Every structure is written in C-alpha cells, then in structure tokens.
Amino acid sequence: MLLQRSFLRRSALPTFAVALFSLGPIAFSQVGAKAPAGTPQDVLTYHGDALRTGWFSNETLLTASNVNAQSFGLLQTVPLDGRVDAEPLVALQQTIQGQGVHNVVYVATENNSVYAIDADSGVVLWQVNLGTPAPDSYKNDDNVYPMVGILSTPVIDRSAGTSGVMYVLADIYNGSVDSFQLHALSLSSGNDLGHVTIQFSAKLLDGTTWTFGSQYNLQRPGLLEANGNIYVAIGGNGDGNPTTRGALVVYNATTLKKLDSGLTNRLNDSADNFYMSSIWMSGYGVATDASGDVYFATGNSDPTKPSYNKSGNYPESVLRVSGDLKTLHSSFTPYFYFTLDQNDLDVSSGGVLLLPDQLGNIPHLAVASAKWGTLFLLNRDSLGGYTAGGPDRVVQELNTIGSCWCGPAYFVGSDGIPRVLTGGAAGVISYQLQTSPTTQLVFDSTTGPNVVNGLPDNGGTIPVVSSNGTTPGSAIVWFVQRPATSSDQDPGTPVTLYAYAGSDLSQGLFSAQAGTWTHAVNSNANIVPTVANGKVYVASNEQLQIFGLLSSLPAAQRAAARKPALPSAPTVVTCPPEVTPLAAVEGTGSGVHQLRGTVCKVTGNQLQVALAGQRSISVDITTASSRHHMPLLTPGRPIKIRASIDEKGIAHAQRISRGHATPGLTQ
C-alpha cells in the first residue's frame, strides 16, 4: 500500500537506483534537534536526537536537589498490552483528534500496539493495533519473548501532515509467515496513513541473488529519519541462520517508496551458513551526522574461519555509509575480530554515539562500545579501517567499561567540559573529553557496578541525561537496572530506575521499582528512560510508569494513582535426574558431540545441563573456560555445547555458546 501523498506537506525526493552500500551530502534532518534554552523539549527519536546523545538538555523542572525520595516519585502506572522494548517518545502540546491539545507520550509494544497517552495524567488518548505479532517459537529464538512485534523505537516528524506523523515498524504474523511492515501513523488519531512491507534482494559477490527473509531476522535498532528518508536496520534472530545478514533499508518518508538497501555481508562461500554481521546494537538507534551520512555497528560473522572482506563482509565493525547507501565512506574493524567471531563477542551489542563538533584537531568524534568491555573513541572522518595483526588505528581504546549490552550518552557539564557516559557492567562511568594537547577520554566518576547489573548474563545499561543546559546542579543521569531475578510469568520480576548527580556519579539521588520484565535470563531488558517537561517515563512489561515531582499532583489524585502490578516470583531452576554422557548420546560412543540443553547447576568446573526427556548430564568445562569459549552460565539459560567424551565416559566441553528456542539433544 502506497502512502497517501496528500497527507504530507513535503515534496518527494528523487528515487535512487537500487544498489548496495552507496550518496552525496544531503541536508541534515532536524528531527530531535535541541530546543531553545528554557523551552520544554520534545523527544521525537531514540536518545533524543539523531546523534544519539541521550541528552535532554532543556529540563527546567527536575534538578539534583529536588529529585529525592521525599519530593520525587511514581505518579501514574498505565497498563499496556505487551512488553516494551522501544523508548517512549514525547510530543508536547499535541492536538489529539476530538480531544483537544495534550502533552502526549507515545509507547509501542511487542504486541504491535501503539498508544498515545496523556503525558501528565496517564489517560490513554488512543490505541491502535497493527496486527498479530510473530510468536518467539516461529522465530526460533527467545531473545525476544513471548512475541515479536514492535521492537525498535519509532521516530516522529511533527512537521509532516496536518498534525504530525509517527513512523513505526511492526512484525506481522498471519498464522504461517511473518512480514515486517513500516507504517506511518497520524499523531492525532493513530490512523494508518500508509504502510509498506519490507521486501528487498541484493546481488552477492559471486553474482547470485540473496532475498531478505523476515522469519530469520529481528529489527531492533531505533528507526532514523534523515535526508527526507526513514532508515530501517535489520539483524538476526540467533547466530547461524542461513538467511541472516545485516541490512540497512531506506524509504522515502513522503511516499514510503523503497529507495535503496545495503548489506553488511555480501559473501556466499560459507559452508557453515554463518553470514550474519547483523545490526542490532541492543536497540540503540542508527545515527546520522550533519552531512546525512549514517553510522551503525555490526556483530558476529563466521566463527569457523576469518571472513573479513573489504569488498563484501564487515563483521564486528563500525561503519559510516552515505545517506543513499551507495558509498561506504569509512569503517573500523578491530584487528582481533576473528577472536570476537569465535567467542560471540559482538561489537554490535553497543550503539554508536556521534559527538557534536568539538574543538581541537579531531572535531568529528564517535564512540562505540562492545560486548567484551572495550570503549572505542573514533575519528569519524577516518574510523580506522582494519589492520591485520594490530594495533588498531583509533583515537583511543579503554578496556574499563565492563561487559556491554549497553549504549553511551553525552552531555556538557556546568564546568563547560564535554562528557561521555558509558553503561557497561563496571557501572555508569563518566569520562571527560580532553581535546588538548591530545584528544582523549579521562575518567571522571562512576556509580560503581552494583546498581547496573541484574542477572549476571548481559551486563550494563543505557543511560540518559537531563539538565537545564549547563546550569549548575541541573544535570541528572538516569538509567534502568535490569532484573536481578527471572520469571516467565506475567508481570515478571522488578526493574529499577536510578538517578545520579551528573556532576558526580558517586552521588545517588533516587531509586525505585519502575516496572517488571519477563524471561530475563535470555531476553534482555534494554530499557531507556525518557525525560521531558518534569516527568520521567519508563516502559517495561505491560506497563508505563510516569515519575515526577510529587507536588505536581493534588494529594487525593496521588493517592488514587494506579499502582504497578505485583512482581512475579522468581523462576526456580532444578536439575532432572542425572544420566551418564554416554547414555545421553544414546551409546554412540566417545568422540565429539553437539548437545543442546539448559543450564541447571554450576559448581566450580562442573556444569550440569538439563536435556530433553527429563534427564541431565554433568560436563567438565575446564577447557572451554580456559579458552574463553563460553558465555556466563546462568541457571535457566539454553546453551549449545560442543563436547568430547573420553574413554572414562566423562564429557569435556570444548565450546559453549548461547542456545535458542526449545532445548533438545542433537548427536
């Protein structure tokens, strides 16, 4: 279905020919641009702007002195129909059809529903559902659970149409197959003004054609509006699916006509079906700079052999491509990328933050963080390329942030010094940006690790900052701690909202339960709080919680505020009866075996794994541990084990990797 041309004021851009990664500079989109000082600020895109700074710089009501347990807290809880992976977006003084003007918070759920909610009272103004979401069993992956609908943060254009447009991507399931659909919704009514199904193919280096298959893909990175276009980044739903490749697709925002598509891997010579190089970034949004170029990070490729190819495959990389995807302007790939491929250590577990222009001899900087805990400070005019054997040609590497399913943020303190925030497992850390005599990040302060990490699987968080410009005492760092326990029962186990003084991250200001999350062992809670007009919005499992100054509501109304659902009891993991490894492989004897199961107990170097058929085995993990060939072994986590069984019948794990879908046993 083509978008109704009459609903927008803009004229369509010219259509580009279909090609692989290839544009000339186009005017920078003003979506998410900073408002004038002192003016309440809309939040129209992931992390507040297209650079992805996460800096809500026009917050005049909340300060480090009034955000505390006495004056700040939960105002409203709004029930929703599913889990929320997307960051809430806010449009102030928005006209709602038949209901006047409201401050509105927009929330999209995994159930493919979009809500417009009064940002102050919590009243639902409208709700639309875009179709049945795909079940996680159909996707053969439990990174998202129990359904796969809207995962990415939408983007809003208030200048479009008569009352503004939200672009949102939903995964629709018809009972047998799924499809990704990009929708344009009216901000005023939720009416679908047009939508298009994501369909594309591309030529590989050997001349064959690859066709996008939605079943084997997830769309998690926040949508980007730039150059008059909407950018959709796509990744996989588990390593090893044969049709999974990282992809970036661009659509004209006026007509929803597909303009181009590009792949991060154009090779077709892998006997093991490991192509990937997916774009996922823990939901972090694809970024753009003033020239209209687009930035993102990729993940694992083939763990069986080196596969970097400057003409076709960019695994574990940060890429800068032109806005029409026809030109790869620059890239950075760590020299040890193959080790990362072998050990499931994606660069794309973290997002790419573009810093505003800086003083000094490197004015255009970027920051990227990766799963194993390294922070890269990059010159985005020349990201660093690939240097076989090393060292990497980057501005700086810091191996101090901790394991990262996370994303960075940026703000300028009251002292005028720019700061970068990281959210790895070592805690939220503030680094001052020094531009003279050399350009480098220098440690400033930290929260410490305890308030960041929940379950020991996926470390880190995604912080944001609110402030009234650089007014002293106004900078607050906000983030949501992931669950400390796991449950698959609704509404799930708690997540926690934290606030710290931006001037000193050792100074805690506030903490409170801010919702719940289900399936926390495998399905990560990449929750990003949104701050606007004196309120903090946290969307989690089946609820939106609105925090603010307690004085903003009359006492009677505060007492009547809807309360959050009581958390579920944590899941208790027990081991079924143990059998010998030889019995588990049905007497096929010693040698190398591939096993699938679920972690049920870890004691020293002994792992007990629950298998299909209500049985378990013990596996010695000494070798896999010494080679760093295994993930954290949290009870309840599905895993895949490559193990040898010696002449004594003892199983020795050579490699352990994260598993997906229903545990089973494969010889």
Side-chain angles (χ1 to χ4, degrees):
M1 175 179 178
L2 289 178
L3 190 64
Q4 300 171 16
R5 292 174 180 264
S6 60
F7 94 93
L8 293 178
R9 299 178 193 151
R10 299 170 304 198
S11 59
L13 295 178
T15 300
F16 298 99
V18 174
L20 296 177
F21 276 145
S22 56
L23 182 155
I26 295 179
F28 176 58
S29 168
Q30 294 301 308
V31 171
K34 303 297 183 187
T39 302
Q41 184 178 352
D42 289 340
V43 181
L44 306 178
T45 189
Y46 185 90
H47 250 206
D49 56 49
L51 299 176
R52 309 310 186 189
T53 64
W55 183 16
F56 308 116
S57 61
N58 294 76
E59 177 49 56
T60 62
L61 298 176
L62 302 178
T63 67
S65 61
N66 65 20
V67 173
N68 54 61
Q70 290 71 46
S71 58
F72 180 86
L74 179 65
L75 302 180
Q76 299 287 348
T77 298
V78 184
L80 306 172
D81 69 358
R83 282 196 338 185
V84 181
D85 294 270
E87 179 183 352
L89 302 178
V90 176
L92 302 173
Q93 296 297 291
Q94 171 66 43
T95 299
I96 298 297
Q97 183 174 296
Q99 301 181 70
V101 176
H102 297 256
N103 295 329
V104 183
V105 55
Y106 294 91
V107 183
T109 76
E110 287 182 13
N111 196 45
N112 280 335
S113 286
V114 179
Y115 290 80
I117 300 165
D118 186 287
D120 302 309
S121 69
V123 172
V124 175
L125 303 170
W126 56 252
Q127 174 192 358
V128 297
N129 186 270
L130 302 178
T132 302
D136 68 307
S137 57
Y138 166 80
K139 288 287 189 175
N140 193 33
D141 187 10
D142 58 0
N143 280 317
V144 182
Y145 176 92
M147 59 190 71
V148 184
I150 300 169
L151 303 182
S152 64
T153 301
V155 64
I156 290 173
D157 188 340
R158 295 198 71 174
S159 68
T162 57
S163 58
V165 175
M166 170 188 286
Y167 299 92
V168 58
L169 190 134
D171 193 348
I172 311 295
Y173 184 65
N174 68 5
S176 58
V177 298
D178 74 320
S179 62
F180 290 153
Q181 294 182 7
L182 177 63
H183 290 255
L185 303 181
S186 165
L187 291 185
S188 175
S189 64
N191 290 342
D192 192 350
L193 302 171
H195 61 270
V196 62
T197 298
I198 306 294
Q199 295 176 315
F200 62 97
S201 59
K203 289 290 186 183
L204 303 179
L205 292 184
D206 65 354
T208 60
T209 298
W210 174 87
T211 300
F212 171 68
S214 54
Q215 180 176 2
Y216 300 106
N217 292 272
L218 297 176
Q219 198 282 305
R220 289 186 277 187
L223 302 185
L224 169 69
E225 182 177 17
N227 310 314
N229 302 324
I230 305 298
Y231 294 82
V232 179
I234 297 170
N237 60 339
D239 295 350
N241 286 315
T243 60
T244 293
R245 298 171 191 267
L248 190 64
V249 195
V250 59
Y251 291 83
N252 182 278
T254 304
T255 64
L256 289 191
K257 182 174 182 179
K258 189 177 82 67
L259 302 181
D260 220 328
S261 57
L263 301 182
T264 59
N265 189 345
R266 296 174 59 202
L267 302 180
N268 195 21
D269 59 356
S270 173
D272 302 302
N273 289 332
F274 289 104
Y275 301 106
M276 301 182 295
S277 299
S278 293
I279 310 170
W280 61 284
M281 302 192 298
S282 292
Y284 206 87
V286 174
T288 189
D289 63 15
S291 71
D293 289 346
V294 178
Y295 298 74
F296 54 90
T298 66
N300 301 325
S301 189
D302 192 336
T304 66
K305 62 181 179 181
S307 61
Y308 171 85
N309 182 310
K310 66 180 180 180
S311 299
N313 186 21
Y314 292 88
E316 316 292 5
S317 300
V318 177
L319 302 179
R320 174 185 179 179
V321 302
S322 58
D324 64 356
L325 312 185
K326 291 183 173 63
T327 303
L328 175 63
H329 286 313
S330 189
S331 67
F332 164 63
T333 307
Y335 76 90
F336 54 99
Y337 83 89
F338 183 51
T339 299
L340 307 181
D341 275 356
Q342 290 177 302
N343 292 279
D344 189 21
L345 295 174
D346 304 60
V347 171
S348 198
S349 71
V352 180
L353 161 68
L354 308 185
L355 277 61
D357 288 0
Q358 303 293 323
L359 301 174
N361 60 354
I362 308 178
H364 304 136
L365 292 165
V367 167
S369 46
K371 190 184 289 186
W372 69 92
T374 294
L375 178 73
F376 297 101
L377 180 62
L378 306 168
N379 178 355
R380 63 179 194 250
D381 293 327
S382 179
L383 289 171
Y386 170 63
T387 305
D392 292 327
R393 293 177 293 179
V394 297
V395 178
Q396 187 182 12
E397 291 185 8
L398 292 168
N399 298 305
T400 53
I401 70 169
S403 59
C404 170
W405 285 253
C406 67
Y410 167 93
F411 74 108
V412 178
S414 60
D415 54 10
I417 298 175
R419 286 169 168 80
V420 169
L421 299 173
T422 60
V428 176
I429 303 175
S430 174
Y431 295 93
Q432 294 186 14
L433 176 63
Q434 174 185 298
T435 59
S436 179
T438 59
T439 299
Q440 62 178 336
L441 294 172
V442 180
F443 175 82
D444 185 24
S445 63
T446 180
T447 64
N450 292 340
V451 296
V452 168
N453 295 309
L455 286 165
D457 299 43
N458 302 334
T461 187
I462 302 175
V464 298
V465 185
S466 67
S467 74
N468 185 9
T470 57
T471 301
S474 67
I476 302 172
V477 175
W478 306 86
F479 58 92
V480 174
Q481 181 187 31
R482 294 180 173 126
T485 56
S486 178
S487 174
D488 291 350
Q489 302 301 313
D490 280 330
T493 53
V495 297
T496 304
L497 173 67
Y498 282 93
Y500 278 75
S503 59
D504 181 1
L505 290 181
S506 68
Q507 182 184 347
L509 304 176
F510 176 83
S511 66
Q513 182 185 331
T516 59
W517 202 254
T518 58
H519 206 58
V521 170
N522 301 300
S523 186
N524 219 8
N526 297 313
I527 297 174
V528 181
T530 293
V531 187
N533 200 30
K535 304 290 195 307
V536 180
Y537 304 93
V538 181
S540 59
N541 181 51
E542 299 186 351
Q543 59 192 296
L544 169 73
Q545 293 199 357
I546 303 175
F547 293 83
L549 297 175
L550 298 177
S551 59
S552 65
L553 285 179
Q557 192 172 348
R558 290 202 305 272
R562 286 164 288 182
K563 300 302 181 183
L566 294 176
S568 305
T571 300
V572 177
V573 178
T574 58
C575 293
E578 186 173 349
V579 299
T580 67
L582 285 173
V585 297
E586 300 176 358
T588 54
S590 59
V592 177
H593 300 267
Q594 301 287 344
L595 303 169
R596 289 180 179 267
T598 301
V599 175
C600 61
K601 185 179 179 181
V602 182
T603 305
N605 286 323
Q606 289 298 310
L607 164 67
Q608 194 165 351
V609 185
L611 305 175
Q614 290 298 306
R615 53 187 180 165
S616 68
I617 62 169
S618 289
V619 179
D620 179 78
I621 61 174
T622 303
T623 300
S625 177
S626 66
R627 296 176 179 175
H628 305 290
H629 285 179
M630 68 180 198
L632 290 171
L633 300 174
T634 306
R637 158 157 285 175
I639 55 172
K640 296 181 290 187
I641 306 174
R642 180 179 175 84
S644 61
I645 300 177
D646 64 21
E647 65 280 358
K648 297 180 180 180
I650 299 173
H652 301 273
Q654 308 301 312
R655 178 188 298 276
I656 304 173
S657 57
R658 296 170 64 183
H660 303 285
T662 305
L665 173 65
T666 302
Q667 295 181 19

